[in-house]
Amino acid sequence: MPERFYLDPYQTTLETTVIRHDDAGLVLADTLCYPLGGGQPGDTATLTLADGSTLAISDTRRNRETREILHITAADAPRLTAGSAVTLTLDWARRHRHMRVHTGLHLLSVVIKAGVTGGNLTAEGGRLDFDLPEGMELDKDEIEAGLNALVAQDLAVSIQMTSGEALKARPELIKTMSVTPPLELPEIRLIEIDGVDLQPCGGTHVRRTGEIGRLLVKKIESKGARNKRVVVTLAD
């Protein structure tokens, strides 16, 4: 079953229980928190205990071996007992900015038609690195205008599922040259921006491009003979 942050990335509160809490982190029976991955930061949140006290979640990570989602708490935080009932409240303002930026970066990969060699995002903005074809030049104003034209179209953003085998047959959908999706999996998640983009992605996204708001191209940096880094930020 898809994890809850995929089922509804707009859900902000959840009643759940503690499975385990140790030095590695806090494991909950269910969670809204997206774990660090794919260039998107892990979520922060607050846990409210039965007695009304609260516990801060400063980061969310996934254990690579067990696939458990670990909620990171302060080293000196009290350890919660297995079975304890808690209310998880997502830091929604931060998450929503991540969603806006992440969808904005997908638009950036539409505007700049070149292979992507890396990327990262924060609540303020993000960047993609491009391997440019010989002779291709980037113009800051043109890129910004192209991005905001796509935002203004208020295009629908939706999820499709495919298999690793099916994705192998459509390699043009894989824009990121540095990281290949796990093609051995029976199901791989695709993000579609209506009429303009379809690519594998494990992050969270807004429902429509209009929700992103105005994007600014902060700078374009050279990272090699052909590799250019384009940094974008949210205007608000």
Side-chain angles (χ1 to χ4, degrees), residues 19-135:
I19 297 295
R20 186 178 71 256
H21 192 189
D22 54 28
D23 290 346
L26 171 64
V27 179
L28 299 172
D30 198 0
T31 187
L32 303 175
C33 292
Y34 177 86
L36 171 74
Q40 181 171 326
D43 282 327
T44 55
T46 301
L47 280 180
T48 303
L49 284 54
D51 63 3
S53 61
T54 60
L55 184 64
I57 305 298
S58 61
D59 197 1
T60 308
R61 303 290 179 101
R62 190 187 291 277
N63 184 301
R64 291 186 178 182
E65 295 180 359
T66 66
R67 305 302 293 167
E68 287 180 319
I69 293 178
L70 302 174
H71 304 79
I72 309 304
T73 59
D76 60 352
R79 296 292 186 253
L80 303 185
T81 305
S84 299
V86 293
T87 300
L88 177 67
T89 303
L90 188 66
D91 182 349
W92 170 245
R94 180 174 179 268
R95 154 74 83 75
H96 189 233
R97 291 181 71 87
H98 290 165
M99 291 163 61
R100 292 167 61 198
V101 172
H102 203 153
T103 308
L105 291 179
H106 281 225
L107 294 183
L108 184 61
S109 76
V110 172
V111 173
I112 301 176
K113 302 186 184 308
V116 177
T117 60
N120 199 16
L121 69 92
T122 69
E124 285 69 49
R127 54 93 175 169
L128 290 180
D129 296 344
F130 294 93
D131 182 45
L132 300 183
E134 187 174 351

Side-chain angles (χ1 to χ4, degrees), residues 105-207:
L105 291 179
H106 281 225
L107 294 183
L108 184 61
S109 76
V110 172
V111 173
I112 301 176
K113 302 186 184 308
V116 177
T117 60
N120 199 16
L121 69 92
T122 69
E124 285 69 49
R127 54 93 175 169
L128 290 180
D129 296 344
F130 294 93
D131 182 45
L132 300 183
E134 187 174 351
M136 182 177 179
E137 298 291 336
L138 298 181
D139 182 273
K140 178 176 176 290
D141 293 337
E142 287 182 4
I143 295 169
E144 192 170 291
L147 285 171
N148 289 304
L150 292 169
V151 169
Q153 288 181 48
D154 196 27
L155 302 168
V157 181
S158 59
I159 297 167
Q160 294 185 21
M161 300 303 294
T162 190
S163 67
E165 284 301 315
L167 191 56
K168 286 179 187 178
R170 301 183 68 187
E172 73 278 2
L173 297 184
I174 303 173
K175 294 187 175 184
T176 304
M177 301 166 65
S178 57
V179 179
T180 301
L183 298 176
E184 73 281 1
L185 295 181
E187 281 196 325
I188 294 177
R189 186 170 177 266
L190 303 176
I191 296 297
E192 180 177 20
I193 302 177
D194 190 29
V196 300
D197 192 48
L198 179 66
Q199 62 176 292
C201 183
T204 58
H205 291 268
V206 293
R207 294 189 180 108

Side-chain angles (χ1 to χ4, degrees), residues 127-130 138 219-223 227-231:
R127 54 93 175 169
L128 290 180
D129 296 344
F130 294 93
L138 298 181
K219 58 184 174 180
I220 299 174
E221 299 176 306
S222 179
K223 293 296 179 179
N227 202 350
K228 295 293 188 291
R229 174 169 295 176
V230 182
V231 181

